[in-house]
Amino acid sequence: MRKKIVAGNWKMNKTMEEALILASEVANMVKDEVSTDVTVVIASPSLYLSTLQKYAEPIANLSIAAQNCHQKASGAFTGEISAPMLKSIGVEYVILGHSERRQYFAETNEQLAEKVNIALENGLTPIFCCGESLEQREAGGFLEFVASQLTDSLFHLSAEDFAKVVIAYEPIWAIGTGVTASSAQAQEMHAYLRGHLATKYGQEIADNASILYGGSCNEKNAPELFACADIDGGLIGGASLKSREFTNIAKSY
Ligand code: 13P
């Protein structure tokens, strides 16, 4: 049975004081209301992770995540944060390849393959993001394009390592736009990606891979999206900044 995951990507939002309030509210709600079958992940700005770990630690199904890490373990990379650093403060997950990092920080599939490697070497679970732009969707070939992002950044992994990776499909046109992929559009992509994984790693590993949907997911549309056969949870942006709405999304299962 594959893992159900609802992860909140706070992006570059919240002051320390606000982060403490949001994380403590989420922790209390997760403890009291969310089934332990669902793993809830908070990806706050890295600056707060060490402090927020206190809230996550006592709750079995609550974890913290970084939103990025550098591809090298250490060195002269001013301003960057490494996978060993994240591991040393108890971080369990790291989002890699978010479209905003690809777009604004020019991250490439090749660089992301290195980031995936260093994350796994340090015992972090990558939440690997993929997704097409509106132009790509309209031009056609978008299923193959997204599959190629997985091929280029993940398919060098052994089956054992690949089995540790979580995938998040986030159509760029649905991120922060209020336009969600329909459940049919999301399910089509998720099923296609699972088939693509099966061609490389076999059906069993593909069936066990968690593939999350992200892009204007909220408490209203989550139940329909999460009911799709190949959607195993969500990567939530704007709606993760409100504790009640984020928890309600996690409760959609
Ligand atoms: P929104 O939920 O704000 O569309 O953001 C999705 C996202 O980018 C999560 O990583």
Side-chain angles (χ1 to χ4, degrees):
M1 253 250 306
R2 49 189 179 250
K3 210 166 169 176
K4 297 172 184 141
I5 300 170
V6 174
N9 177 7
W10 292 6
K11 308 192 180 182
M12 195 176 71
N13 290 295
K14 302 291 178 188
T15 62
M16 183 66 178
E17 199 183 354
E18 293 163 347
L20 288 172
I21 293 169
L22 177 56
S24 65
E25 286 176 358
V26 169
N28 284 329
M29 290 180 192
V30 169
K31 176 164 57 74
D32 294 340
E33 303 175 29
V34 177
S35 157
T36 49
D37 293 348
V38 179
T39 297
V40 179
V41 178
I42 291 176
S44 78
S46 295
L47 190 60
Y48 309 141
L49 285 170
S50 175
T51 309
L52 300 194
Q53 166 65 352
K54 283 198 281 289
Y55 295 105
E57 202 164 18
I59 303 171
N61 60 330
L62 182 62
S63 295
I64 53 170
Q67 298 173 12
N68 177 38
C69 71
H70 195 268
Q71 62 271 29
K72 295 278 191 273
S74 64
F77 300 102
T78 301
E80 290 295 306
I81 290 171
S82 73
M85 292 174 192
L86 295 171
K87 187 64 185 172
S88 73
I89 60 163
V91 171
E92 290 178 61
Y93 292 83
V94 58
I95 298 174
L96 293 175
H98 192 283
S99 60
E100 288 150 16
R101 299 232 33 112
R102 293 175 188 264
Q103 184 181 351
Y104 304 128
F105 301 93
E107 292 193 355
T108 62
N109 288 343
E110 294 68 35
Q111 190 181 5
L112 291 169
E114 293 181 54
K115 291 190 180 206
V116 167
N117 291 345
I118 196 114
L120 289 169
E121 279 164 27
N122 286 281
L124 300 172
T125 299
I127 300 177
F128 180 81
C129 301
C130 55
E132 81 288 0
S133 66
L134 186 58
E135 297 72 45
Q136 285 165 325
R137 179 160 279 262
E138 285 173 351
F142 56 91
L143 294 168
E144 295 80 2
F145 170 78
V146 178
S148 76
Q149 292 181 314
L150 303 188
T151 305
D152 292 353
S153 298
L154 300 178
F155 278 15
H156 64 284
L157 296 174
S158 67
E160 191 189 344
D161 275 343
F162 175 78
K164 298 172 189 156
V165 176
V166 173
I167 291 168
Y169 167 59
E170 299 204 307
I172 297 168
W173 46 273
I175 295 177
T177 57
V179 179
T180 320
S182 68
S183 52
Q185 286 173 319
Q187 168 58 24
E188 177 190 35
M189 177 63 80
H190 284 228
Y192 185 85
L193 295 180
R194 201 178 299 287
H196 186 60
L197 300 180
T199 62
K200 170 73 181 171
Y201 292 108
Q203 198 60 50
E204 190 181 341
I205 286 180
D207 282 343
N208 284 324
S210 293
I211 309 180
L212 317 184
Y213 168 78
S216 298
C217 188
N218 57 39
E219 62 189 346
K220 294 203 175 66
N221 57 37
E224 186 179 331
L225 287 161
F226 294 179
C228 295
D230 288 288
I231 300 181
D232 307 309
L235 183 53
I236 319 299
S240 74
L241 299 174
K242 295 174 224 141
S243 55
R244 174 42 58 202
E245 175 151 25
F246 181 58
T247 308
N248 286 349
I249 294 171
K251 287 165 71 179
S252 298
Y253 273 115

Coordinates of all heavy atoms in Angstrom, one line a residue, residues 20-53:
L20 N 5.6 30.0 14.1 CA 5.3 29.3 15.4 C 3.8 29.0 15.6 O 3.4 28.0 16.0 CB 5.9 30.0 16.6 CG 7.4 30.0 16.6 CD1 7.9 31.0 17.8 CD2 8.0 28.6 16.9
I21 N 3.1 30.1 15.3 CA 1.6 30.0 15.5 C 1.0 28.9 14.5 O 0.3 28.0 14.9 CB 0.9 31.3 15.3 CG1 1.3 32.3 16.4 CG2 -0.6 31.2 15.3 CD1 0.9 33.7 16.2
L22 N 1.4 29.1 13.3 CA 0.9 28.2 12.2 C 1.3 26.7 12.5 O 0.4 25.8 12.5 CB 1.3 28.6 10.9 CG 0.9 27.7 9.7 CD1 -0.6 27.6 9.6 CD2 1.5 28.3 8.4
A23 N 2.5 26.5 12.8 CA 3.0 25.1 13.0 C 2.4 24.5 14.3 O 2.0 23.3 14.3 CB 4.5 25.1 13.2
S24 N 2.2 25.3 15.3 CA 1.6 24.7 16.6 C 0.1 24.4 16.3 O -0.4 23.4 16.8 CB 1.8 25.6 17.8 OG 1.1 26.8 17.6
E25 N -0.5 25.3 15.6 CA -2.0 25.0 15.3 C -2.1 23.7 14.4 O -2.9 22.8 14.7 CB -2.6 26.1 14.5 CG -2.9 27.3 15.4 CD -3.4 28.5 14.6 OE1 -3.5 28.5 13.4 OE2 -3.7 29.6 15.3
V26 N -1.2 23.6 13.4 CA -1.3 22.4 12.5 C -0.9 21.2 13.4 O -1.6 20.1 13.3 CB -0.3 22.5 11.4 CG1 -0.1 21.2 10.6 CG2 -0.8 23.6 10.4
A27 N 0.1 21.2 14.2 CA 0.5 20.1 15.0 C -0.7 19.6 15.9 O -1.0 18.4 16.0 CB 1.7 20.4 15.9
N28 N -1.4 20.6 16.6 CA -2.5 20.2 17.4 C -3.6 19.6 16.6 O -4.2 18.6 17.0 CB -3.0 21.4 18.2 CG -2.1 21.8 19.3 OD1 -1.5 20.9 19.9 ND2 -2.0 23.0 19.6
M29 N -3.9 20.1 15.5 CA -5.0 19.6 14.7 C -4.7 18.2 14.1 O -5.5 17.3 14.0 CB -5.4 20.6 13.5 CG -6.0 21.9 14.0 SD -6.4 23.0 12.6 CE -6.7 24.5 13.5
V30 N -3.4 18.1 13.7 CA -3.0 16.8 13.1 C -3.2 15.7 14.2 O -3.7 14.6 14.0 CB -1.6 16.8 12.5 CG1 -1.1 15.4 12.2 CG2 -1.6 17.7 11.3
K31 N -2.7 16.0 15.4 CA -2.7 15.1 16.5 C -4.2 14.6 16.8 O -4.4 13.5 17.0 CB -2.1 15.7 17.7 CG -2.1 14.9 19.0 CD -1.1 15.4 20.0 CE -1.3 16.9 20.4 NZ -2.5 17.2 21.2
D32 N -5.1 15.6 16.8 CA -6.4 15.3 17.2 C -7.3 14.8 16.1 O -8.3 14.2 16.4 CB -7.1 16.6 17.8 CG -6.4 17.0 19.1 OD1 -5.7 16.2 19.7 OD2 -6.5 18.2 19.5
E33 N -7.0 15.2 14.9 CA -8.1 15.0 13.8 C -7.7 14.2 12.6 O -8.5 13.7 11.9 CB -8.5 16.4 13.3 CG -9.0 17.4 14.4 CD -9.3 18.7 13.8 OE1 -9.6 18.8 12.6 OE2 -9.2 19.7 14.5
V34 N -6.3 14.1 12.3 CA -6.0 13.5 11.1 C -5.6 12.0 11.3 O -4.9 11.7 12.3 CB -4.7 14.2 10.4 CG1 -4.3 13.5 9.2 CG2 -5.1 15.7 10.1
S35 N -6.1 11.2 10.5 CA -5.8 9.7 10.6 C -4.3 9.5 10.5 O -3.6 10.1 9.7 CB -6.5 9.0 9.4 OG -5.9 7.8 9.2
T36 N -3.9 8.5 11.3 CA -2.4 8.2 11.3 C -2.0 7.6 10.0 O -0.8 7.4 9.7 CB -2.0 7.4 12.5 OG1 -2.9 6.3 12.5 CG2 -2.0 8.2 13.8
D37 N -3.0 7.2 9.1 CA -2.7 6.7 7.8 C -2.2 7.7 6.9 O -1.7 7.4 5.8 CB -4.0 6.1 7.1 CG -4.5 4.9 7.8 OD1 -3.8 4.4 8.7 OD2 -5.6 4.5 7.5
V38 N -2.4 9.0 7.2 CA -2.0 10.1 6.4 C -0.8 10.8 7.0 O -0.8 11.2 8.1 CB -3.1 11.1 6.2 CG1 -2.7 12.3 5.3 CG2 -4.4 10.5 5.6
T39 N 0.3 10.9 6.2 CA 1.5 11.6 6.7 C 1.4 13.1 6.3 O 1.1 13.4 5.1 CB 2.8 11.0 6.0 OG1 2.9 9.6 6.4 CG2 4.0 11.8 6.4
V40 N 1.5 13.9 7.3 CA 1.4 15.4 7.0 C 2.9 15.9 7.1 O 3.6 15.6 8.0 CB 0.5 16.1 8.0 CG1 0.5 17.6 7.8 CG2 -0.9 15.5 8.0
V41 N 3.2 16.8 6.1 CA 4.5 17.3 6.1 C 4.4 18.9 6.0 O 3.6 19.4 5.3 CB 5.3 16.8 4.8 CG1 6.7 17.4 4.7 CG2 5.4 15.3 4.9
I42 N 5.3 19.5 6.8 CA 5.3 21.0 6.7 C 6.7 21.4 6.1 O 7.7 21.1 6.7 CB 5.2 21.6 8.1 CG1 3.8 21.4 8.7 CG2 5.6 23.1 8.1 CD1 3.7 21.9 10.2
A43 N 6.7 22.1 5.0 CA 7.9 22.6 4.4 C 8.0 24.1 4.6 O 7.4 24.9 3.8 CB 8.0 22.2 2.9
S44 N 8.5 24.4 5.7 CA 8.7 25.9 6.1 C 10.0 26.4 5.5 O 10.8 25.6 5.0 CB 8.7 26.0 7.6 OG 10.0 25.7 8.1
P45 N 10.2 27.7 5.5 CA 11.5 28.2 5.2 C 12.6 27.5 6.1 O 12.3 27.3 7.2 CB 11.4 29.7 5.5 CG 10.0 30.0 5.2 CD 9.2 28.8 5.8
S46 N 13.7 27.2 5.5 CA 14.8 26.5 6.3 C 15.1 27.1 7.6 O 15.5 26.4 8.6 CB 16.0 26.4 5.4 OG 15.8 25.6 4.3
L47 N 15.1 28.4 7.7 CA 15.4 29.2 8.9 C 14.6 28.7 10.1 O 15.1 28.8 11.2 CB 15.1 30.6 8.6 CG 15.5 31.7 9.5 CD1 17.0 31.8 9.6 CD2 15.0 33.1 8.9
Y48 N 13.4 28.2 9.9 CA 12.6 27.8 11.0 C 12.6 26.3 11.3 O 11.9 25.9 12.3 CB 11.1 28.3 10.8 CG 11.0 29.7 10.3 CD1 10.0 30.1 9.4 CD2 11.7 30.7 10.9 CE1 9.9 31.4 9.0 CE2 11.6 32.1 10.5 CZ 10.6 32.4 9.5 OH 10.5 33.7 9.1
L49 N 13.2 25.5 10.5 CA 13.0 24.1 10.6 C 13.4 23.5 11.9 O 12.7 22.7 12.5 CB 13.7 23.4 9.4 CG 13.1 23.5 8.0 CD1 14.0 23.0 7.0 CD2 11.7 22.8 8.0
S50 N 14.5 24.0 12.4 CA 15.1 23.5 13.6 C 14.1 23.7 14.8 O 13.9 22.9 15.6 CB 16.4 24.2 13.9 OG 16.9 23.8 15.1
T51 N 13.5 24.9 14.8 CA 12.5 25.2 15.8 C 11.2 24.4 15.6 O 10.6 23.9 16.6 CB 12.2 26.7 15.8 OG1 13.4 27.4 15.8 CG2 11.4 27.2 17.0
L52 N 10.8 24.3 14.4 CA 9.5 23.7 14.2 C 9.6 22.2 14.4 O 8.5 21.5 14.6 CB 9.0 24.0 12.7 CG 8.8 25.4 12.4 CD1 8.0 25.6 11.1 CD2 8.0 26.2 13.5
Q53 N 10.8 21.6 14.3 CA 11.0 20.2 14.6 C 10.4 19.8 15.9 O 9.9 18.7 16.1 CB 12.5 19.9 14.4 CG 12.9 18.5 14.9 CD 12.3 17.4 14.1 OE1 11.5 17.6 13.3 NE2 12.7 16.2 14.4

